[in-house]
Amino acid sequence: MSEKSNVEADVEFNEAGKRVRKVKSFVLREGRLTKGQERAMEELFPTMGLEFQREAYNLNKVFDREAPKVLEIGFGMGKSLAEQASCERNIDFIGIEVHKPGVGACLLLAEEFELTNVRVIHHDAVEIIDYAIADHSLDKIQIFFPDPWHKKKHHKRRIVQTEFCQKLHKKLKKGGVLHLATDWENYAEHMLEVLSPMKEYENLSTSGDYVPRPDSRPLTKFEQRGQRLGHGVWDLQFRSI
């Protein structure tokens, strides 16, 4: 189930010529596309896709309306995103995914469900957050089942880190929600350790840790199977303050 996000670093040079590491959320992954996914990228992406740009999208213009805006980082094959958008057509959804077959698959589902409230981006999430999303423009950001990088030496590659969560906070409206979900308990604990001390956020859990799965997050077949086997899933919701 953990299928999407990861963090890597490129080497850059600052103005003094010193080597610095630039964190990236993903490695762009092309993968082999089915004929349907190829068609989706050719025919649907031009109208339902957003190209990376170094200035903020005008999301109201993109969707041709004013409505709540939700950004999902790492939507995998897009089933959950498409189902959510289908059930909540009064909300606009923007999804970021680096796996090209996943982008194509999501577009096909959007076509099947006749969705007009979804746009997809095939690019590195950190750069999208840095350049293409306006501050205080989002009502919710969701990251569901990111790569857990379960080995301790790889924990630094996890996308949920303090610096990245600070970036996300700037994009949320006051009262906007950051919603995380994982099926790795250790990663859930890591997420809680990152977010709990941050003054920018308020935990929506009444017990100070996790929340029950909100109805807004579709229950996947993998998750249903995991529940039957006794596997856990942890949801966290933090409000921007």
Side-chain angles (χ1 to χ4, degrees), residues 18 21 35 65 72 74 82 99 103 129 131 181 187 205 219:
K18 184 178 179 181
R21 290 167 64 81
K35 289 184 178 179
R65 67 174 183 175
E72 179 162 342
H99 188 51
V103 177
I129 294 296
Y131 298 106
Y187 200 0
S205 167
L219 187 65

Side-chain angles (χ1 to χ4, degrees), residues 40-53:
M41 294 304 296
E42 292 174 1
E43 298 180 6
L44 304 179
F45 189 85
T47 55
M48 299 186 65
L50 295 176
E51 297 287 356
F52 170 67
Q53 60 186 44

Side-chain angles (χ1 to χ4, degrees), residues 44-111:
L44 304 179
F45 189 85
T47 55
M48 299 186 65
L50 295 176
E51 297 287 356
F52 170 67
Q53 60 186 44
R54 290 182 176 269
E55 60 181 352
Y57 303 121
N58 183 332
L59 293 177
N60 286 338
K61 186 175 181 179
V62 165
F63 289 97
D64 195 27
R65 67 174 183 175
E66 290 188 19
K69 302 292 189 288
V70 175
L71 176 70
E72 179 162 342
I73 297 174
F75 57 74
M77 298 304 285
K79 189 172 187 295
S80 176
L81 178 62
E83 287 182 357
Q84 193 174 356
S86 180
C87 292
E88 301 183 84
R89 293 177 185 257
N90 61 317
I91 297 175
D92 293 330
F93 292 85
I94 307 99
I96 305 174
E97 177 56 54
V98 292
H99 188 51
K100 199 169 186 179
V103 177
C106 186
L107 289 169
L108 290 174
L109 288 171
E111 179 184 49

Side-chain angles (χ1 to χ4, degrees), residues 138-156:
L138 301 174
D139 295 87
K140 182 187 288 186
I141 298 173
Q142 50 197 38
I143 307 176
F144 297 155
F145 308 103
D147 193 321
W149 292 102
H150 56 276
K151 291 184 180 180
K152 190 172 183 180
K153 64 180 181 180
H154 292 152
H155 285 185
K156 62 185 178 182

Side-chain angles (χ1 to χ4, degrees), residues 13 20 29 57 69 102 108 119 135 152 157 194 203 215 218 236:
F13 296 87
V20 294
R29 298 161 56 210
Y57 303 121
K69 302 292 189 288
L108 290 174
R119 297 293 184 274
D135 289 351
K152 190 172 183 180
R157 299 184 182 182
V194 167
N203 194 343
D215 292 337
L236 300 85

